[in-house]
Amino acid sequence: DAGVTQSPTHLIKTRGQHVTLRCSPISGHKSVSWYQQVLGQGPQFIFQYYEKEERGRGNFPDRFSARQFPNYSSELNVNALLLGDSALYLCASSLPGGHISGTQYFGPGTRLLVL
Amino acid sequence: DAKTTQPTSMDCAEGRAANLPCNHSTISGNEYVYWYRQIHSQGPQYIIHGLKNNETNEMASLIITEDRKSSTLILPHATLRDTAVYYCIVLGSNYKLTFGKGTLLTVNP
């Protein structure tokens, strides 16, 4: 069974541009979460989606947005990129429901570099 | 969300047990303890979780103290491939994972 897949694997953008990152969850998983990981830090929670609805949001500006599609895949969008947005962006999928949603399966991430 | 405290780094000899401690003194009664690890340049990997009782799976054992204020992740026979950053996380009521800086475990030959 395929794991969580993310695309692209690497991306280079310039300040002020927009970026869209994509994630496909494990088959049967209906919840998708997004995390940002800057060098030397642990992943920081951005969003969680379940059944196309936003279920949680971390402390990130409105330049960050996401959505989930009927097939449970998800996109993360970041507008007006800043140098500080350079990071590894991780997607994780899980079965929803209480503490079970803490068991998340992560993709390999998209490494974004903003110049 | 309950905060966790972990040592910054630890070393372990290959083949020996690795015991990774975590303090979570403000944990609430219904909050679970989760452990993940992240091997360099990869996404985090789920290891194990527990509420009150000790848990064991094919990867590790989780020992939670009776007062639930601390826990220990045990890798019974560490290998070089277990070198990674290990994160101890208390799952909050909003069911989101809050990662700290974790413990860098280095397994030495």
Side-chain angles (χ1 to χ4, degrees):
Chain A
D1 215 5
V4 176
T5 59
Q6 294 187 242
S7 63
T9 56
H10 294 80
L11 203 50
I12 300 175
K13 292 284 190 179
T14 57
R15 280 178 299 175
Q17 285 190 311
H18 162 91
V19 68
T20 297
L21 310 180
R22 296 177 175 84
C23 171
S24 292
I26 290 172
S27 178
H29 285 189
K30 299 182 178 181
S31 183
V32 169
S33 300
W34 287 94
Y35 295 82
Q36 180 197 65
Q37 186 174 25
V38 300
L39 205 60
Q41 303 291 323
Q44 298 300 304
F45 173 76
I46 309 175
F47 287 110
Q48 185 178 80
Y49 275 78
Y50 170 60
E51 292 282 10
K52 298 176 288 180
E53 297 286 328
E54 182 182 301
R55 202 175 165 191
R57 183 185 186 111
N59 189 23
F60 280 81
D62 292 343
R63 300 185 295 108
F64 289 76
S65 63
R67 55 179 175 167
Q68 187 177 30
F69 300 100
N71 66 353
Y72 305 110
S73 67
S74 179
E75 284 182 354
L76 175 70
N77 296 283
V78 187
N79 293 323
L81 284 167
L82 303 174
L83 296 180
D85 295 331
S86 295
L88 179 67
Y89 288 85
L90 294 158
C91 173
S93 75
S94 64
L95 294 168
H99 71 275
I100 299 298
S101 63
T103 305
Q104 298 187 10
Y105 297 87
F106 285 78
T110 294
R111 193 163 295 280
L112 172 66
L113 177 61
V114 182
L115 301 176
Chain B
D1 294 348
K3 290 193 70 173
T4 61
T5 305
Q6 297 178 255
T8 303
S9 63
M10 295 182 65
D11 285 333
C12 177
E14 188 178 19
R16 303 296 293 269
N19 295 275
L20 292 96
C22 179
N23 181 288
H24 32 78
S25 58
T26 61
I27 193 170
S28 297
N30 59 350
E31 290 180 325
Y32 282 75
V33 178
Y34 276 78
W35 283 82
Y36 280 78
R37 73 179 183 183
Q38 188 171 25
I39 296 169
H40 184 61
S41 295
Q42 297 181 19
Q45 178 188 24
Y46 164 80
I47 302 174
I48 199 167
H49 74 280
L51 181 63
K52 296 180 185 177
N53 300 321
N54 298 337
E55 302 287 345
T56 296
N57 63 19
E58 65 278 4
M59 288 183 69
S61 294
L62 174 60
I63 309 297
I64 302 175
T65 58
E66 194 169 340
D67 63 8
R68 303 210 326 119
K69 293 185 177 182
S70 65
S71 61
T72 301
L73 179 76
I74 301 172
L75 307 178
H77 305 286
T79 71
L80 299 180
R81 288 178 295 178
D82 292 321
T83 292
V85 177
Y86 287 77
Y87 297 98
C88 169
I89 301 166
V90 173
L91 188 70
S93 56
N94 56 9
Y95 304 118
K96 75 177 190 190
L97 296 175
T98 302
F99 289 81
K101 291 193 175 182
T103 297
L104 173 60
L105 174 69
T106 303
V107 181
N108 300 304

